[in-house]
Amino acid sequence: MSDTSNGPVTGLQLDVLRALWSAGNASVVQVHEALSERRELAPTTVATLLKRLEKRGLVTHEREGRQHLFRALVTEGAVLSQAVDQVTDEVFSGDVTAFAAQLLSRKDVSNGDLAKIRALLDTRQSELDQ
């Protein structure tokens, strides 16, 4: 499994990775189809994105007949964690509390969201107390 230390993934790259995480292994055509509902891209663009992700060590491929089947080498959690770290460091100067306060100040945070966040905080507190 590769880390994402060579920079964050873009939104488009994240969509490609999500297609791979969902499918497990996928051809360029399959990734293109998965992306077609959200993005209008040429299959050649999808192929280029996959090759760039492969150069970064985030994706690999195997030949199956005449096509390449791609799969992600990095987990969704690792990619998201790296993105959160970057935002926390660059936007909030490493201040996790300021980041959390900004998220919680949004008007679209529901009571259900708050209940889930409280449960996550309780779990994390228990982990730290051990």
Side-chain angles (χ1 to χ4, degrees), residues 15-26:
D15 284 347
V16 170
L17 287 168
R18 283 187 171 133
L20 293 176
W21 292 323
S22 177
N25 292 317

Side-chain angles (χ1 to χ4, degrees), residues 50-130:
L50 286 162
K51 289 296 182 186
R52 287 181 182 164
L53 288 168
E54 188 169 33
K55 282 184 183 179
R56 291 182 60 185
L58 304 176
V59 165
T60 190
H61 78 273
E62 293 179 4
R63 255 183 107 74
E64 187 169 290
R66 296 183 64 195
Q67 68 180 351
H68 292 146
L69 289 181
F70 291 86
R71 69 179 170 88
L73 292 175
V74 64
T75 66
E76 185 174 12
V79 171
L80 297 179
S81 180
Q82 193 269 340
V84 168
D85 288 348
Q86 181 185 10
V87 169
T88 303
D89 293 344
E90 293 179 12
V91 177
F92 295 96
S93 301
D95 187 344
V96 174
T97 304
F99 184 32
Q102 182 64 37
L103 288 173
L104 293 172
S105 70
R106 296 175 52 106
K107 292 181 181 181
D108 60 348
V109 175
S110 70
N111 284 335
D113 293 332
L114 291 174
K116 290 175 186 175
I117 291 166
R118 278 188 195 96
L120 291 168
L121 289 170
D122 290 345
T123 298
R124 183 64 177 141
Q125 186 66 58
S126 292
E127 292 169 357
L128 292 172
D129 290 344
Q130 291 180 5

